Amino acid sequence: MWAVNLIALVLLATSASAATSASADKLLSNHATILADNSANLAFSLYQKMAKEENAENILISPVVVASSLGLVALGGKASTASQVKTILNADKVKDEQLHSGLAELLTELSDPKIRNVTWKISNHLYGPSSVNFVDGFVQSSKKHYNCTHSKLNFINKKNAVNSINKWAAKSTDGKLPEVTKDVEKTDGVIIINAMVFKPHWDEQFHHKMVDNRGFLVSHSYSVSVQMMHRTGLYNFYDDENNKLSILSIPLAHKKSSVVFIMPYHVEPLERLEKLLTKKQLETWMGKLQQTAVALSLPKVSMEVSHNLQNHLRELGLTEAVDKSKADLSNISGKKDLYLASVFHASAMEWDTDGNEIDTSIFGTDRLKNPKLFYADHPFIFLVKDQKTNSIMFIGRLVRPKGEKMRDEL
């Protein structure tokens, strides 16, 4: 009898393992695949707009989450207010229901902690003025597809409104984002807020003892003190000598996604690199990566960045939803009394030493001889790129990490 039970347990374990594997290898639907690819296009067009913003320093956006916010606008909108979203996402041929289910499917896939072994907590909230009455169907659909919660806010009392928004963001991110905004300029529209925490888990960890204080050169004349983490290993690497920059790709745990760093050889404003940055150029660089011995130093920092994307989305073609006289967001309230006043997109990203155990078998071998140096001590661009969906989970730049200004050396 025990033998029969043993066989049954083995079969059960095998079927469970096969089910898990099948789930992990499940292909995206056709419309989710289209939206994944098109959100990558959104990544570069939106980044380029943001990079030109006056006095902008650090940038951190999740294109797939921005696409979801646009999906929320389409869900609440009618006629051309909704169709403009599809145009921006280059998804005119995708049916309405497929737009929402596809975006939900994509984000669920990318944020699955078991498949990708990353910490990515995403919270979405829609605030309406105190006079609004939310339609039950919109509330249910936005919760189903975009995991979006709702509440009313008295925007006339700006101080209390700002405090309420920031309190929600802090609570949603376990205190990682204590401040999303200092002000709400418009008091009679809806506000969409994304609050996210992302912590990569490296496929091979940095040793926690190989961390020290170094200088990060914000410019030739200004540097701040940051912790830097170091390790030598085999990474996908490419030196673009013509454009005087290096590309480094570091896999995250389970190797489902990777962080791609684009760093100029020397300290300089990132404008020159940003002019090169397109989806096609990234594909060219990725195609030239080769496994190389690299002595790597990265800032051990956290970035907390909040952007109001409303004007940038308008420049990309979302002209009606943001215009009080033209917006038709009547699926939200049942009447044409709302417009999109703000889209606050706030993210906290933490680069730490955490990761899987290092493969020590290559140490002391010829494979690590004469490593290339990748010393990220000055401004650089980075992306978190997913392998399976080919989408871009994050795109940003680190220009000024948190840290004390260092004394000028004589």
Side-chain angles (χ1 to χ4, degrees):
M1 186 67 181
W2 67 269
V4 174
N5 289 338
L6 179 62
I7 292 170
L9 286 170
V10 169
L11 289 173
L12 186 64
T14 303
S15 62
S17 175
T20 302
S21 177
S23 174
D25 294 335
K26 181 182 176 183
L27 295 176
L28 288 179
S29 64
N30 185 53
H31 45 278
T33 301
I34 291 171
L35 291 164
D37 194 53
N38 292 346
S39 69
N41 290 321
L42 175 66
F44 296 103
S45 54
L46 183 56
Y47 179 93
Q48 297 289 0
K49 298 288 184 188
M50 298 175 72
K52 294 173 183 175
E53 190 175 327
E54 192 174 349
N55 300 321
E57 292 185 330
N58 298 340
I59 293 175
L60 183 58
I61 52 171
S62 171
V64 288
V65 174
V66 175
S68 295
S69 292
L70 287 168
L72 189 63
V73 173
L75 187 68
K78 289 183 179 179
S80 50
T81 298
S83 63
Q84 282 187 344
V85 168
K86 287 187 176 181
T87 302
I88 294 170
L89 294 176
N90 196 21
D92 292 304
K93 295 181 180 179
V94 177
K95 295 178 181 178
D96 289 353
E97 183 57 33
Q98 290 179 335
L99 174 74
H100 305 306
S101 63
L103 287 170
E105 181 186 349
L106 177 60
L107 209 50
T108 299
E109 167 73 33
L110 294 176
S111 59
D112 189 323
K114 292 181 180 178
I115 295 175
R116 279 167 176 71
N117 198 11
V118 297
T119 299
W120 192 10
K121 184 179 180 183
I122 306 166
S123 300
N124 300 309
H125 196 85
L126 185 145
Y127 285 103
S130 52
S131 59
V132 73
N133 288 311
F134 294 116
V135 173
D136 288 342
F138 173 78
V139 171
Q140 292 166 7
S141 294
S142 56
K143 177 69 175 175
K144 173 185 174 183
H145 294 302
Y146 302 112
N147 196 28
C148 182
T149 53
H150 312 74
S151 62
K152 301 179 185 182
L153 204 55
N154 181 4
F155 291 112
I156 295 175
N157 188 332
K158 287 191 175 185
K159 183 177 180 181
N160 285 350
V162 168
N163 287 341
S164 295
I165 290 169
N166 289 335
K167 187 176 179 180
W168 172 84
K171 184 178 180 181
S172 301
T173 59
D174 300 321
K176 299 287 187 182
L177 286 170
E179 184 177 272
V180 166
T181 183
K182 295 181 185 298
D183 189 23
V184 284
E185 296 177 4
K186 298 161 186 173
T187 58
D188 54 353
V190 295
I191 293 177
I192 295 173
I193 303 180
N194 316 128
M196 292 166 281
V197 176
F198 186 86
K199 183 177 180 181
H201 187 88
W202 307 112
D203 188 57
E204 290 193 353
Q205 67 188 3
F206 291 76
H207 197 288
H208 67 277
K209 289 187 177 179
M210 294 187 68
V211 176
D212 56 15
N213 290 320
R214 302 284 179 99
F216 186 97
L217 295 160
V218 177
S219 65
H220 287 290
S221 59
Y222 189 98
S223 59
V224 296
S225 176
V226 298
Q227 286 193 312
M228 296 282 282
M229 48 192 186
H230 317 277
R231 66 160 302 221
T232 299
L234 294 173
Y235 296 103
N236 284 329
F237 179 84
Y238 173 63
D239 250 337
D240 185 342
E241 295 179 357
N242 289 334
N243 289 308
K244 295 181 173 56
L245 56 88
S246 298
I247 312 288
L248 177 75
S249 178
I250 307 180
L252 301 181
H254 298 346
K255 297 185 179 179
K256 299 288 185 181
S257 55
S258 58
V259 183
V260 180
F261 296 91
I262 306 169
M263 192 177 71
Y265 285 169
H266 307 293
V267 181
E268 62 172 283
L270 292 175
E271 184 180 359
R272 180 181 67 84
L273 271 67
E274 288 165 341
K275 287 179 179 177
L276 299 171
L277 193 60
T278 63
K279 185 181 177 186
K280 184 177 180 181
Q281 180 61 67
L282 179 66
E283 289 170 352
T284 299
W285 282 327
M286 298 299 287
K288 293 183 177 181
L289 293 174
Q290 292 186 339
Q291 195 171 71
T292 307
V294 179
L296 168 64
S297 296
L298 286 181
K300 181 179 179 290
V301 296
S302 60
M303 292 176 67
E304 294 91 34
V305 187
S306 181
H307 306 282
N308 187 351
L309 301 181
Q310 195 234 38
N311 286 331
H312 301 304
L313 294 175
R314 177 197 280 123
E315 290 173 3
L316 291 177
L318 194 73
T319 58
E320 286 203 9
V322 301
D323 188 326
K324 186 177 179 180
S325 64
K326 296 180 180 178
D328 184 351
L329 295 174
S330 52
N331 280 340
I332 297 178
S333 63
K335 50 187 177 180
K336 291 176 65 174
D337 58 346
L338 296 173
Y339 71 106
L340 185 62
S342 297
V343 180
F344 291 115
H345 188 82
S347 310
M349 180 180 287
E350 183 178 354
W351 285 327
D352 205 340
T353 57
D354 294 347
N356 295 339
E357 291 294 322
I358 296 173
D359 177 10
T360 58
S361 65
I362 61 172
F363 292 152
T365 68
D366 288 345
R367 298 181 73 188
L368 291 185
K369 269 191 173 180
N370 303 316
K372 294 278 188 178
L373 297 180
F374 192 91
Y375 194 73
D377 70 340
H378 55 277
F380 56 82
I381 299 167
F382 63 90
L383 309 97
V384 182
K385 193 172 187 302
D386 184 59
Q387 314 296 358
K388 177 179 175 180
T389 66
N390 208 31
S391 54
I392 294 172
M393 298 160 68
F394 279 93
I395 183 171
R397 68 183 184 193
L398 182 63
V399 172
R400 187 190 296 266
K402 289 185 294 185
E404 295 295 321
K405 181 181 178 182
M406 299 181 74
R407 288 182 298 175
D408 295 328
E409 296 183 7
L410 299 177

